[in-house]
Amino acid sequence: ATMELSAEAGVCTRQIGACAPSCSDICASKYPNGGKGACQGDICVCFYECGTEKRCNVGLGPCSAQCNDACCAAKCAQQ
């Protein structure tokens, strides 16, 4: 799956993979402060407010449902 990030007028978008009925739910879990998902063709795209994506302090990538804040902090501590 290809991930692209873009920003326009305070709204960022990220392609998160193949389109699925749960696209909007996945985006809401990744971006809990108003993230919305929509399928564009065969790709699920998240729309969220720029700057609200959680990142580990050593650039290990975004925290998510798969790796919450505690998991992210643990990965950062290992680095």
Side-chain angles (χ1 to χ4, degrees):
T2 302
M3 292 183 70
E4 289 182 13
L5 181 66
S6 63
E8 181 178 302
V11 175
C12 287
T13 61
R14 180 178 298 267
Q15 294 180 355
I16 60 165
C19 178
S22 59
C23 176
S24 190
D25 292 335
I26 292 168
C27 292
S29 71
K30 289 182 177 289
Y31 307 100
N33 293 329
K36 306 258 189 254
C39 290
Q40 294 184 343
D42 293 343
I43 303 295
C44 176
V45 179
C46 290
F47 298 86
Y48 60 97
E49 185 179 339
C50 296
T52 60
E53 181 178 24
K54 297 185 228 174
R55 289 205 163 266
C56 295
N57 61 3
V58 292
L60 295 175
C63 296
S64 66
Q66 291 78 30
C67 182
N68 62 20
D69 288 337
C71 167
C72 210
K75 283 185 177 183
C76 291
Q78 291 172 355
Q79 297 295 320

